[in-house]
């Protein structure tokens, strides 16, 4: 059984670790904690109030500690190192807003699992639960304020895509999957797909994988990609400007259209596909693309193709969630929702395939689904 760490243990271990990791901080003090750490999803994210002296004098701030989940992998190949490298590199540049970088520890002996530490962002995301189209701060905004908020997010995304990956982002290069850019991105999806539900029938996923390989554009650019750009991973200030972009575990290299397709996928998911009316003022698909093109100076191409890539990747995430539920014993391996769920439904729509039936197996899958941890706010 995994070691259970109580508040005093965590307090003392973090104090020692921070003193070693940040030798530019002196007179370090951590406020008392009220948290326990064990296996599974228990307290994978928690907050720590600290004070210390640095070159600018006495500082007081709140830090976010994020542990690597130790449960079944839902997103293939995800690890804290990629997130850490992205935040550290972007924080050092200063032109794309991210949480302030503090440090990473890969030795599980410290807190029972690898973890990273960052500064807490003062801002608010457009939440998925509750749906931002139904309630919350964005719901309370005027239509003009909503448009402004989404516009600033696209502008921040355009700044990210303007970065030359060869200037401090070489860690994104994974030559085992192909040449930098779309070739490598698809190589990653090929390996993810090959290791998903091995030995089980998944015709919609198979068709999606075959389509994106057979129809890849030949004129794709190579940009630094966020990988998970959504309204729920964007932190906004009260004035509607972006405070930080968060959650970098899917960062990669590829054409900018991939990030736009992912944003549009989730914007559509939390409105049309959930049967919810989008808030007035939020830019339409066409308006979103136009705002991004103006901010970036680029013309987006082949968006229909990249919509399929986004749908395939999200369907692979759903397959990982399915396998996790089987591994936990929540649903039997004979459950048919591996290839019959909301994500494969959208993929089938895009490919013009017969639509899957979302019956009792799917409802059982959804009843037992443990949500992936929420974004840090």
């Amino acid at each position: 059984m995994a070691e259970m760490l109580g508040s005093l243990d965590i307090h003392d271990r973090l104090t020692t670790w921070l003193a070693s990791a940040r030798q530019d901080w002196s007179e370090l003090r951590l406020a008392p904690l009220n948290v326990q750490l064990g296996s599974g999803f228990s307290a994978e994210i928690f907050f720590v109030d600290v004070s210390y002296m640095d070159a600018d004098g006495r500082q007081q701030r709140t830090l976010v500690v994020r542990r690597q989940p130790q449960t079944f992998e839902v997103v293939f190949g995800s690890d804290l190192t990629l997130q850490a490298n992205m935040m550290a590199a972007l924080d050092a540049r200063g032109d794309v807003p991210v949480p302030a970088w503090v440090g990473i520890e890969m030795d599980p002996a410290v807190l029972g699992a690898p973890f990273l530490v960052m500064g807490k962002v003062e801002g608010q995301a457009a939440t998925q639960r509750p749906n931002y189209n139904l309630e919350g701060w964005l719901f309370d905004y005027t239509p003009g304020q909503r448009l402004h908020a989404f516009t600033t997010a696209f502008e921040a995304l355009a700044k990210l895509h303007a970065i030359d990956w060869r200037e401090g982002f070489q860690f994104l290069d994974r030559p085992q999957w192909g040449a930098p850019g779309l070739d490598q991105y698809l190589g990653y999806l090929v390996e993810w797909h090959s290791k998903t539900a091995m030995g089980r029938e998944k015709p919609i996923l198979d068709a999606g994988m075959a389509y994106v390989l057979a129809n890849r554009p030949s004129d794709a650019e190579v940009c630094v990609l966020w990988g998970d750009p959504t309204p729920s991973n964007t932190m906004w200030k009260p004035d509607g400007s972006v405070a930080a972009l968060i959650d970098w575990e899917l960062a990669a290299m590829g054409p900018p259209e991939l990030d736009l397709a992912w944003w549009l996928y989730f914007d559509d998911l939390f409105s049309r596909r959930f049967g919810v009316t989008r808030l007035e003022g939020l830019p339409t698909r066409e308006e979103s693309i136009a705002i991004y093109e103006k901010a970036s100076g680029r013309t987006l191409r082949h968006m229909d193709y990249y919509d399929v890539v986004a749908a395939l990747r999200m369907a692979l995430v759903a397959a990982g969630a399915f396998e996790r539920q089987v591994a936990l014993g929540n649903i039997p391996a004979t459950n048919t929702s591996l290839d019959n769920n909301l994500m494969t439904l959208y993929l089938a729509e895009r490919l013009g395939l017969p639509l899957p039936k979302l019956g009792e197996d799917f409802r059982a899958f959804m009843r037992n689904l443990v949500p992936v941890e929420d974004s840090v706010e």
Side-chain angles (χ1 to χ4, degrees):
M1 180 176 292
E3 177 186 15
M4 180 67 73
L5 297 178
S7 296
L8 288 177
D9 282 333
I10 299 166
H11 181 280
D12 292 346
R13 292 185 183 196
L14 266 182
T15 300
T16 300
W17 182 84
L18 281 169
S20 176
R22 296 304 303 252
Q23 296 186 16
D24 54 330
W25 297 356
S26 62
E27 300 180 30
L28 177 67
R29 300 287 185 273
L30 271 66
L33 301 175
N34 182 25
V35 65
Q36 286 190 331
L37 296 179
S39 59
F41 279 81
S42 172
E44 299 295 0
I45 296 177
F46 61 95
F47 300 93
V48 181
D49 291 325
V50 301
S51 66
Y52 56 87
M53 292 287 293
D54 65 10
D56 296 320
R58 172 63 60 183
Q59 307 294 330
Q60 291 186 325
R61 62 193 298 196
T62 300
L63 304 179
V64 181
V65 180
R66 181 169 189 166
R67 294 204 313 164
Q68 175 75 47
Q70 299 299 292
T71 50
F72 193 90
E73 183 180 70
V74 173
V75 176
F76 171 69
S78 63
D79 69 271
L80 288 187
T81 304
L82 177 60
Q83 298 183 62
N85 287 337
M86 282 298 295
M87 283 193 290
L90 290 171
D91 189 35
R93 287 179 59 93
D95 52 352
V96 176
V98 293
W101 178 242
V102 176
I104 184 173
E105 178 57 62
M106 295 303 295
D107 185 354
V110 180
L111 292 183
F115 65 92
L116 57 79
V117 183
M118 64 191 119
K120 184 177 184 292
V121 176
E122 297 301 327
Q124 49 197 356
T127 60
Q128 296 180 0
R129 295 186 303 274
N131 187 321
Y132 60 83
N133 284 295
L134 297 176
E135 60 180 281
W137 65 272
L138 196 60
F139 183 87
D140 295 334
Y141 264 15
T142 66
Q145 289 174 317
R146 295 172 193 145
L147 175 60
H148 172 67
F150 271 44
T151 296
T152 63
F154 292 131
E155 290 170 346
L157 190 57
K159 289 180 181 178
L160 174 70
H161 293 162
I163 296 172
D164 186 334
W165 69 272
R166 293 161 294 194
E167 297 177 357
F169 293 81
Q170 292 90 337
F171 57 84
L172 291 173
D173 187 14
R174 297 168 177 177
Q176 70 271 26
W177 291 328
L182 182 58
D183 188 50
Q184 200 168 106
Y185 192 96
L186 294 180
Y188 164 69
L189 292 184
V190 166
E191 185 169 353
W192 187 355
H193 172 263
S194 71
K195 294 182 177 179
T196 297
M198 290 185 289
R200 296 180 186 154
E201 294 293 322
K202 47 184 191 299
I204 298 176
L205 283 169
D206 293 346
M209 192 73 254
Y211 176 90
V212 300
L213 292 176
N215 294 277
R216 69 179 80 184
S218 60
D219 56 353
E221 296 183 73
V222 182
C223 296
V224 173
L225 299 181
W226 181 358
D228 198 9
T230 68
S232 61
N233 283 339
T234 306
M235 304 293 291
W236 279 279
K237 300 175 184 178
D239 65 0
S241 61
V242 173
L245 309 181
I246 62 176
D247 281 3
W248 294 90
E249 67 177 347
L250 296 177
M253 287 189 290
E257 289 88 354
L258 284 167
D259 268 351
L260 265 295
W262 192 253
W263 178 285
L264 294 171
Y265 179 100
F266 276 87
D267 191 32
D268 180 67
L269 175 66
F270 282 90
S271 53
R272 179 186 68 88
R273 289 166 55 213
F274 281 173
V276 173
T277 302
R278 289 181 82 247
L279 289 171
E280 182 185 357
L282 295 184
T284 64
R285 173 186 175 87
E286 293 73 20
E287 290 168 341
S288 297
I289 291 172
I291 292 168
Y292 172 83
E293 289 182 335
K294 179 180 179 181
S296 66
R298 287 184 162 94
T299 298
L300 298 181
R301 303 180 294 267
H302 315 296
M303 283 301 295
D304 288 346
Y305 169 82
Y306 293 109
D307 287 339
V308 176
V309 178
L312 171 62
R313 191 173 67 158
M314 194 59 208
L316 288 168
V317 172
F322 170 87
E323 291 183 279
R324 182 175 182 274
Q325 290 307 305
V326 171
L328 291 172
N330 291 336
I331 57 176
T334 54
N335 184 295
T336 61
S337 55
L338 168 65
D339 214 53
N340 294 273
N341 57 66
L342 280 176
M343 309 313 171
T344 53
L345 174 63
Y346 184 76
L347 181 57
E349 286 177 353
R350 286 287 175 177
L351 295 173
L353 298 174
L355 302 183
K357 305 297 183 184
L358 307 185
E360 180 53 39
D361 274 5
F362 173 69
R363 288 189 285 273
F365 168 62
M366 293 301 294
R367 281 196 299 269
N368 288 294
L369 188 62
V370 178
V372 177
E373 64 184 4
D374 292 334
S375 301
V376 178
E377 297 186 11

